[in-house]
Amino acid sequence: MAKLIKANGDLIIKKPENLVKARFKLSPLAIKFLSTIIANLRRSDEIDEEYVLRVSDFKELTGQKTKRIYELIEESLEDLLKNPLKIPLNKEETKFLMTNWVSSAVYDAGQVSFLIDKRLKPFLIEVKEKFLKYRLENILSLRSTYSIRLYEILKDWLELYSRYGNKAEKIVKVDELREILEIPKSYRYNNIKIQILEKAKAELAKHTDILFDYDELKTGRKVTHLKFIIRPNPAKLQTDNEVQENYFKSRKAFVALLRKNYSGNGKFFGWKSIAEKNYNNYWLGLDKNGLLYAVLDDDIIDFNAVEAERIYDDWFKIAQNSNLYQELVSEGVCLKESSKNNKELWLDLIGDVKRLKEEGII
């Protein structure tokens, strides 16, 4: 069964660093289409998962009022299929992966179904260490491809090079910026300044959660480097906590998330061996009243308050230290089903739990 893509501005996009640095050129609408897809990908998805996006949902998301929306969607799909991206695979950038964003797409009855290229998908869903994270709404009002790409690059630099997220400075060669943004060779520096940098500066200040300025650094009389100064935009800055409760900041909030996603639906958020070894194979769930129980086949165990507290403590610690587990419980994924149907994901989660045990965290 195909997975329906959710389309709303509160979706969180995660991109690994090498994908942020990837070279590609897409229309603004194609980038927004692609970003909506990326925000919906999960590690629990099958490698050949089919995704479906309703055109009406995407139209509402992007604020498109034109009657040409179906034509524009078709153009965006063509854009994704005919414009490959180039992803660096090593620090020296001597090794690259060249691939299309989607491997195929079917347009039918007001919706688009598509498959993500199999060689690209691991870059999109297996985000483990350094990655860019932002809310989709930040790019929805940006009208230029260059503005969207600059937002992602500058946002990434702010996270990487700032102290406490307050300010970052980064010097980059003009020629390097040309390559990353795929700026035509016909553009002189003055064109880049007026048509790209100044426009992006105004757009980002108006629509996104960051601001930037830049200084021109010259070699002789020629501008060869740019020094970017990036800051949070106080007028637009909106933390994830303002959009949705930070479920992993406190144990109380974490338990509230479990009750929201697992009460009375037969799904399991963990296993009993984390708390006590004598119930090694029991799966942990919540009844319709939000009370904790463990089950193995027809054998069901209830817990007193002290036992429940210990179990919640351990799984809260796991949630604080495993991005994968955070993702799974946020989506309400049944771990028992994952252990059967997605062995790679299951082994990654087991690996996280073993690591936390070895470190004495649980």
Side-chain angles (χ1 to χ4, degrees):
M1 184 177 178
K3 178 178 178 178
L4 182 65
I5 294 291
K6 300 175 184 176
N8 68 75
D10 289 339
L11 289 168
I12 303 295
I13 298 170
K14 292 181 180 180
K15 287 186 178 181
E17 196 172 353
N18 55 357
L19 194 58
V20 177
K21 293 179 179 178
R23 299 171 191 174
F24 61 89
K25 191 170 185 180
L26 298 171
S27 69
L29 194 65
I31 294 177
K32 293 169 187 178
F33 185 94
L34 177 66
S35 297
T36 305
I37 295 168
I38 292 174
N40 278 269
L41 299 180
R42 296 293 179 267
R43 291 186 69 185
S44 54
D45 294 351
E46 298 293 334
I47 194 68
D48 57 351
E49 187 97 43
E50 183 180 13
Y51 301 91
V52 174
L53 177 63
R54 289 191 289 246
V55 174
S56 58
D57 291 345
F58 187 65
K59 180 180 179 181
E60 183 179 352
L61 174 71
T62 55
Q64 296 286 330
K65 297 180 180 178
T66 177
K67 294 180 180 179
R68 291 184 59 243
I69 184 62
Y70 297 100
E71 203 175 314
L72 291 174
I73 289 289
E74 185 177 344
E75 290 173 4
S76 295
L77 287 172
E78 289 179 1
D79 214 8
L80 291 170
L81 284 164
K82 73 182 182 182
N83 287 306
L85 74 158
K86 190 175 181 181
I87 303 174
L89 299 178
N90 58 13
K91 288 184 178 180
E92 297 77 21
E93 298 192 12
T94 57
K95 185 179 180 181
F96 292 89
L97 168 66
M98 293 194 70
T99 178
N100 284 330
W101 291 99
V102 296
S103 56
S104 64
V106 176
Y107 184 89
D108 180 45
Q111 66 180 30
V112 182
S113 60
F114 48 89
L115 298 173
I116 305 293
D117 185 274
K118 289 184 178 182
R119 297 195 72 173
L120 172 64
K121 198 167 187 179
F123 289 92
L124 301 177
I125 63 175
E126 294 183 10
V127 181
K128 293 181 179 179
E129 295 180 3
K130 294 180 180 178
F131 60 87
L132 167 67
K133 179 179 178 181
Y134 67 89
R135 292 176 58 233
L136 179 59
E137 73 164 16
N138 280 290
I139 66 168
L140 293 178
S141 296
L142 302 182
R143 301 173 63 85
S144 161
T145 295
Y146 295 124
S147 293
I148 297 174
R149 293 286 283 129
L150 266 174
Y151 169 76
E152 291 193 336
I153 292 165
L154 296 175
K155 179 78 171 177
D156 190 44
W157 289 347
L158 180 62
E159 297 297 324
L160 288 174
Y161 302 117
S162 66
R163 292 194 64 187
Y164 313 112
N166 295 324
K167 175 184 173 182
E169 296 182 357
K170 171 73 173 176
I171 296 176
V172 62
K173 293 179 181 177
V174 173
D175 287 343
E176 185 181 342
L177 196 65
R178 281 182 182 275
E179 290 183 14
I180 295 173
L181 297 180
E182 297 279 330
I183 299 172
K185 293 181 179 179
S186 59
Y187 274 44
R188 296 183 176 180
Y189 173 70
N190 210 43
N191 300 124
I192 295 174
K193 178 177 180 178
I194 295 170
Q195 297 180 36
I196 297 176
L197 295 176
E198 289 299 320
K199 283 186 177 180
K201 184 177 173 181
E203 277 203 285
L204 267 59
K206 183 177 181 180
H207 298 297
T208 77
D209 57 4
I210 63 171
L211 302 168
F212 80 92
D213 209 336
Y214 60 95
D215 295 330
E216 298 172 336
L217 306 180
K218 295 183 178 181
T219 303
R221 299 178 64 183
K222 182 181 179 182
V223 176
T224 56
H225 294 72
L226 295 170
K227 179 183 178 181
F228 285 93
I229 303 97
I230 313 120
R231 296 181 177 87
N233 185 352
K236 292 288 181 179
L237 190 60
Q238 189 174 31
T239 66
D240 292 343
N241 289 348
E242 292 174 302
V243 179
Q244 62 181 27
E245 185 178 357
N246 187 338
Y247 291 114
F248 308 107
K249 189 175 182 180
S250 71
R251 201 195 67 163
K252 181 178 179 181
F254 171 67
V255 174
L257 173 65
L258 294 182
R259 286 175 176 158
K260 173 187 173 186
N261 288 344
Y262 292 92
S263 290
N265 57 17
K267 294 182 179 180
F268 302 105
F269 68 85
W271 55 91
K272 184 65 173 65
S273 60
I274 295 304
E276 295 176 5
K277 294 181 180 179
N278 54 324
Y279 295 130
N280 193 40
N281 296 316
Y282 283 74
W283 293 100
L284 295 170
L286 298 167
D287 65 20
K288 63 181 181 180
N289 296 312
L291 298 177
L292 184 66
Y293 69 91
V295 62
L296 176 63
D297 298 326
D298 295 327
D299 190 9
I300 298 175
I301 299 173
D302 295 315
F303 302 103
N304 61 37
V306 174
E307 291 173 322
E309 292 295 306
R310 287 203 303 265
I311 291 170
Y312 286 138
D313 276 344
D314 279 325
W315 284 100
F316 175 55
K317 290 173 185 175
I318 292 170
Q320 286 187 307
N321 292 278
S322 169
N323 289 331
L324 173 56
Y325 185 62
Q326 284 189 17
E327 185 178 301
L328 293 172
V329 294
S330 294
E331 290 293 307
V333 172
C334 178
L335 296 191
K336 182 179 180 181
E337 293 302 314
S338 293
S339 71
K340 296 178 181 178
N341 302 328
N342 194 326
K343 294 295 183 183
E344 184 177 353
L345 179 145
W346 177 247
L347 290 174
D348 282 348
L349 180 58
I350 292 291
D352 282 351
V353 172
K354 286 183 177 178
R355 170 178 58 82
L356 294 175
K357 279 188 173 181
E358 290 170 359
E359 293 173 359
I361 294 174
I362 58 173

